[in-house]
Amino acid sequence: MKIQQDAAKVLERTSHFLQKGIIKERPAWYVPVGVHPTGYDLTKRPKRFDSGRQPADPQDKLYKKQGEYFKTGMSSTDRRNRNNKVHSIPKIKLLEDKLRDVFYHQHPWEFARPKNLVENEGNDVKKCDWSHMLQLHKPLDGESVVQRTLYILKTEREKKNITLFDAYDQARFEFYQLRMAEEMSANVSKEESAMFGAIYPSTNMDWGVQKEQEVVDQWTKRAAEMTKAYDASSSRSSTGPSNEMSMESSSIWETSFVDEVEEK
């Protein structure tokens, strides 16, 4: 949002109207505002007053020719806005964001796992107890590592004098153990179901690879046929009319010399 500076031009416009005769009488606020003019920088800040110094004489701000009007021209330094960053949004830097950046940079395939972004009440995080990694209301992912790291860093820093890297490594290794146990249980359950007669269709990734391989096989056959046709055309051009023309263009002396060599 841009700082509004229109209020600073009230004295300027009123002085101009009085000078041109548009306004006949001075407003009641005219002299006080002239003694204490409004600056172009409207940001609020504490103001310091020196005890032994008197305020500036209002006569210094009057025109020399027409002393009843206040000076309205502002210099470039008065118009300069010295607080450009007052309304800019500060960048919020959190330790959680740095941990997420490190984890997902080291484990980019975690982005491929589906995530549920819908919450029933909007405060499902409060139901999680990060004294352990595995949660009932939340699947295992990179956010579990981040929150577990913060919990370890907060609770065990005073006891074990643990650092951020130690807490992150501890949470990361817990994540690895739970992930391996999860994949192992999934494979065991799949093998048990297959043993009792379950049939698993191909996954979407396998189906995509199969369709892609069919297209590659068709392209291979077509490329082989085109290669044979190209080789045939190139060999025909090398043994075709060009050699006959070269033999016809040769002189009689060259052909007779070749015939004599062949007879001998």
Side-chain angles (χ1 to χ4, degrees):
M1 180 179 177
K2 187 178 180 181
I3 298 177
Q4 300 295 327
Q5 299 179 353
D6 295 338
K9 299 180 181 180
V10 174
L11 182 64
E12 179 180 355
R13 293 179 181 177
T14 306
S15 299
H16 182 72
F17 292 159
L18 287 173
Q19 186 177 4
K20 297 300 181 180
I22 299 176
I23 299 177
K24 302 300 182 180
E25 298 180 358
R26 293 183 181 180
W29 51 264
Y30 185 72
V31 176
V33 174
V35 176
H36 304 285
T38 304
Y40 278 82
D41 188 3
L42 302 180
T43 56
K44 296 181 179 180
R45 59 172 57 86
K47 194 172 183 180
R48 298 180 61 183
F49 295 93
D50 296 334
S51 58
R53 184 176 299 176
Q54 296 295 330
D57 190 1
Q59 297 297 327
D60 296 338
K61 299 182 180 181
L62 301 179
Y63 282 116
K64 295 182 180 179
K65 296 181 180 179
Q66 300 175 357
E68 59 181 357
Y69 302 114
F70 287 100
K71 180 180 178 180
T72 59
M74 295 288 181
S75 61
S76 59
T77 56
D78 296 334
R79 294 179 181 273
R80 187 180 304 168
N81 186 8
R82 299 179 181 178
N83 292 280
N84 297 326
K85 298 182 179 179
V86 172
H87 299 282
S88 61
I89 301 175
K91 294 182 179 180
I92 302 175
K93 298 180 181 180
L94 299 176
L95 181 60
E96 300 178 7
D97 297 333
K98 296 181 180 179
L99 290 173
R100 294 188 187 99
D101 189 12
V102 172
F103 178 81
Y104 286 109
H105 182 74
Q106 295 176 349
H107 309 82
W109 281 104
E110 287 295 325
F111 284 115
R113 296 182 178 273
K115 295 183 179 180
N116 185 16
L117 302 179
V118 180
E119 296 183 357
N120 296 327
E121 299 178 358
N123 56 353
D124 294 347
V125 182
K126 296 181 180 180
K127 300 179 182 178
C128 299
D129 182 14
W130 294 112
S131 59
H132 47 83
M133 177 73 71
L134 194 60
Q135 302 295 324
L136 180 62
H137 304 280
K138 185 180 181 305
L140 186 65
D141 55 359
E143 187 65 22
S144 302
V145 178
V146 173
Q147 299 299 330
R148 175 63 177 163
T149 303
L150 296 176
Y151 180 84
I152 294 172
L153 188 66
K154 181 179 180 181
T155 56
E156 300 185 6
R157 174 178 290 181
E158 298 179 357
K159 298 178 182 179
K160 301 180 181 180
N161 195 12
I162 193 172
T163 61
L164 176 62
F165 299 100
D166 298 335
Y168 175 71
D169 289 338
Q170 181 179 347
R172 185 163 53 91
F173 288 131
E174 291 178 3
F175 172 78
Y176 293 159
Q177 293 175 357
L178 292 175
R179 182 68 77 193
M180 287 187 291
E182 181 181 351
E183 293 178 356
M184 187 179 299
S185 62
N187 293 330
V188 170
S189 62
K190 184 176 181 180
E191 291 178 359
E192 290 178 352
S193 301
M195 183 179 63
F196 286 103
I199 299 175
Y200 294 96
S202 60
T203 60
N204 295 332
M205 187 175 295
D206 295 337
W207 183 84
V209 172
Q210 181 182 358
K211 293 298 181 181
E212 184 179 358
Q213 188 63 37
E214 293 177 0
V215 176
V216 171
D217 294 339
Q218 295 177 1
W219 179 85
T220 304
K221 295 179 181 179
R222 185 178 179 184
E225 295 175 357
M226 294 178 65
T227 303
K228 291 180 181 179
Y230 178 78
D231 294 338
S233 62
S234 60
S235 62
R236 183 182 300 175
S237 62
S238 61
T239 59
S242 60
N243 292 337
E244 297 177 358
M245 292 297 292
S246 61
M247 293 298 292
E248 293 177 357
S249 62
S250 61
S251 61
I252 300 174
W253 302 102
E254 293 177 355
T255 55
S256 61
F257 179 76
V258 171
D259 294 339
E260 292 177 357
V261 172
E262 290 179 353
E263 291 177 358
K264 292 180 181 181

